[in-house]
């Protein structure tokens, strides 16, 4: 693709000029955006790029191992894994407001980063995989509506932050990032990985984030991911995931009444996340997800399907 190869070439050149001989830190999430930024910057400045993977305790099952193993095996990148799970989860105690969760996670993320960056010498830049839709949704002054959500990875750097931002994907939409990834030779399971939000499972647990609720959501989500891959729907869909609702409902098991959690399935089609529609998945696949979640995840006795489009709903529930 001509336009993508010139994007890659120009971006590498631009980054080299902008960064000079400084060191750069990058938050690696394992998603396609930060992977593309990592490979682009690695091409531009080599080992002066320092990737930091923060385990914030809000990741999906086995995510940490998958990201670190992959990068270790396939790229010659500087990658450090920081275990900050307890720090994030302690801060989230008692917090149930969606915007508070997002801000808290965003600031904590930046704090962890700044600390890591200070341990390195001559770090002047923080690289991020910000995309165009993140930029416009966060710039409230540009639209008639107020800020939709404070994306944890856009703006709002604290005063004491002494790093400048490098955001090479700032003008791209997701489908363009996938083209760049292909151009860079990234493997399909990265290129076609569904988006996962920076604040992680915290914004898919409505209400307070606790260890117990995280465990329930992780297990339910794993079943959804498994069924999407097994049926080939993973690639056909923008995103498919589970959400844990902040309520319990009555059910029956054998002769006993149960009173347990509800999982919502959010399965959407989209081109660029600006608009989305719920995926018309075959009923037998939905039935299988529901049966498996209720039978296999302790503490869940009901599964519901989200059939709202964006707008007016959003893809995530918080
Ligand atoms: P919404 O819920 O706004 O989501 O319709 C649009 C897309 O963005 C993802 N998303 C995020 N990604 N940091 C991210 O990196 C965030 O804070 C964030 N919030 C939402 C969401 O998963 C969907 O793909």
């Amino acid at each position: 693709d001509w336009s993508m190869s010139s994007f890659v070439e120009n971006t590498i050149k631009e980054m080299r000029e902008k960064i000079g001989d400084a060191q750069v830190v990058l938050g690696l999430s394992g998603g396609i955006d930060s992977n593309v930024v990592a490979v682009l910057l690695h091409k531009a400045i080599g080992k002066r790029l320092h990737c930091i993977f923060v385990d914030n305790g809000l990741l999906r099952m086995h995510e940490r191992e998958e990201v670190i193993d992959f990068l270790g095996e396939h790229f010659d990148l500087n990658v450090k894994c920081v275990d900050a799970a307890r720090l994030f989860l302690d801060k989230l105690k008692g917090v149930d407001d969606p915007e508070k969760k997002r801000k808290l996670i965003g600031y904590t993320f930046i704090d962890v980063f700044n600390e890591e960056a200070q341990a390195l010498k001559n770090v002047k830049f923080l690289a991020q995989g910000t995309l165009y839709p993140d930029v416009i949704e966060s710039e409230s002054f540009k639209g008639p509506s107020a800020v939709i959500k404070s994306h944890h990875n856009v703006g709002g750097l604290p005063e004491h932050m002494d790093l400048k931002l490098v955001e090479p994907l700032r003008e791209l939409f997701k489908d363009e990032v996938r083209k760049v990834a292909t151009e860079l030779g990234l493997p399909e399971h990265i290129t076609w990985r569904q988006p996962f939000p920076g604040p992680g499972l915290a914004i898919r647990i409505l209400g307070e984030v606790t260890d117990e609720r995280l465990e329930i959501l992780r297990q339910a989500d794993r079943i959804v991911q498994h069924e999407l891959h097994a049926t080939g729907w993973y690639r056909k869909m923008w995103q498919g995931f589970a959400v844990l609702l902040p309520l319990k409902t009555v059910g029956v098991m054998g002769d006993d009444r149960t009173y347990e959690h509800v999982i919502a399935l959010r399965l959407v089609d989209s081109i660029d996340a600006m608009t989305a529609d719920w995926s018309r998945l075959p009923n037998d696949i939905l039935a299988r997800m529901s049966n498996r979640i209720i039978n296999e995840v302790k503490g869940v006795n009901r599964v519901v399907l989200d059939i709202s489009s964006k707008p007016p709903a959003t893809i995530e529930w918080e």
Side-chain angles (χ1 to χ4, degrees):
D1 188 315
W2 178 82
S3 64
M4 286 308 141
S5 74
S6 67
F7 172 85
V8 168
E9 220 172 276
N10 291 340
T11 305
I12 290 172
K13 193 163 157 263
E14 246 172 59
M15 292 295 125
R16 261 189 208 137
E17 277 163 16
K18 178 168 180 170
I19 294 162
D21 61 1
Q23 311 280 319
V24 179
V25 274
L26 164 67
L28 209 59
S29 68
I32 176 174
D33 306 342
S34 61
N35 266 296
V36 167
V37 173
V39 176
L40 274 174
L41 286 179
H42 185 66
K43 281 182 186 290
I45 61 164
K47 289 279 186 187
R48 283 186 287 120
L49 171 67
H50 304 269
C51 301
I52 296 168
F53 179 79
V54 178
D55 182 348
N56 57 9
L58 305 167
L59 303 169
R60 286 167 295 188
M61 210 180 273
H62 305 313
E63 194 155 26
R64 171 174 173 164
E65 296 81 352
E66 281 167 14
V67 171
I68 298 292
D69 288 351
F70 174 77
L71 291 163
E73 277 169 32
H74 297 267
F75 292 96
D76 185 30
L77 295 176
N78 278 328
V79 183
K80 178 170 181 192
C81 181
V82 186
D83 187 353
R86 217 54 262 167
L87 177 70
F88 281 84
L89 296 178
D90 283 347
K91 288 200 182 200
L92 283 167
K93 266 196 191 119
V95 180
D96 62 5
D97 179 77
E99 276 300 287
K100 277 194 192 131
K101 280 185 193 171
R102 282 174 170 275
K103 292 214 165 95
L104 216 147
I105 293 167
Y107 289 135
T108 307
F109 219 83
I110 289 168
D111 281 348
V112 171
F113 255 81
N114 222 3
E115 213 180 299
E116 292 299 323
Q118 273 160 18
L120 301 162
K121 288 217 166 64
N122 197 24
V123 171
K124 296 227 170 76
F125 297 94
L126 175 68
Q128 292 190 328
T130 315
L131 304 192
Y132 189 62
D134 307 332
V135 176
I136 40 184
E137 283 203 351
S138 289
E139 289 177 12
S140 56
F141 54 88
K142 284 206 171 154
S145 60
V147 176
I148 298 169
K149 289 168 184 174
S150 55
H151 280 254
H152 92 285
N153 40 5
V154 181
L157 295 176
E159 289 287 313
H160 63 79
M161 185 78 186
D162 42 16
L163 300 176
K164 280 184 225 134
L165 286 180
V166 178
E167 298 176 314
L169 311 181
R170 232 184 128 78
E171 283 163 19
L172 303 186
F173 283 98
K174 200 77 173 191
D175 55 325
E176 296 173 309
V177 178
R178 289 206 166 116
K179 287 184 191 151
V180 174
T182 307
E183 179 69 32
L184 290 169
L186 285 167
E188 284 205 4
H189 78 270
I190 295 275
T191 309
W192 288 99
R193 192 172 156 137
Q194 291 180 354
F196 184 67
L201 298 179
I203 58 167
R204 295 178 182 173
I205 292 176
L206 277 58
E208 192 187 358
V209 179
T210 63
D211 290 334
E212 186 222 348
R213 305 185 79 212
L214 266 168
E215 186 52 31
I216 290 173
L217 182 58
R218 275 200 186 105
Q219 289 182 20
D221 185 67
R222 184 156 182 81
I223 292 170
V224 173
Q225 301 310 319
H226 181 266
E227 291 302 323
L228 291 179
H229 282 291
T231 56
W233 276 82
Y234 185 86
R235 281 271 303 254
K236 294 185 207 163
M237 185 181 291
W238 173 266
Q239 251 172 322
F241 54 87
V243 178
L244 179 61
L245 305 191
L247 71 156
K248 289 186 170 185
T249 69
V250 173
V252 61
M253 186 148 90
D255 295 333
D256 295 325
R257 173 188 178 279
T258 60
Y259 188 55
E260 294 179 325
H261 296 285
V262 183
I263 287 285
L265 301 176
R266 185 58 162 152
L267 309 157
V268 297
D269 298 331
S270 177
I271 302 293
D272 55 16
M274 304 291 282
T275 63
D277 194 9
W278 57 283
S279 306
R280 271 45 166 194
L281 225 66
N283 283 342
D284 54 334
I285 299 177
L286 295 173
R288 201 175 146 73
M289 285 181 183
S290 169
N291 286 336
R292 283 197 59 195
I293 290 170
I294 292 167
N295 290 330
E296 296 173 31
V297 183
K298 203 169 157 281
V300 176
N301 68 359
R302 193 179 295 269
V303 171
V304 298
L305 177 65
D306 181 350
I307 53 169
S308 1
S309 58
K310 172 184 182 175
T314 49
I315 295 173
E316 304 288 347
W317 281 43
E318 288 196 335

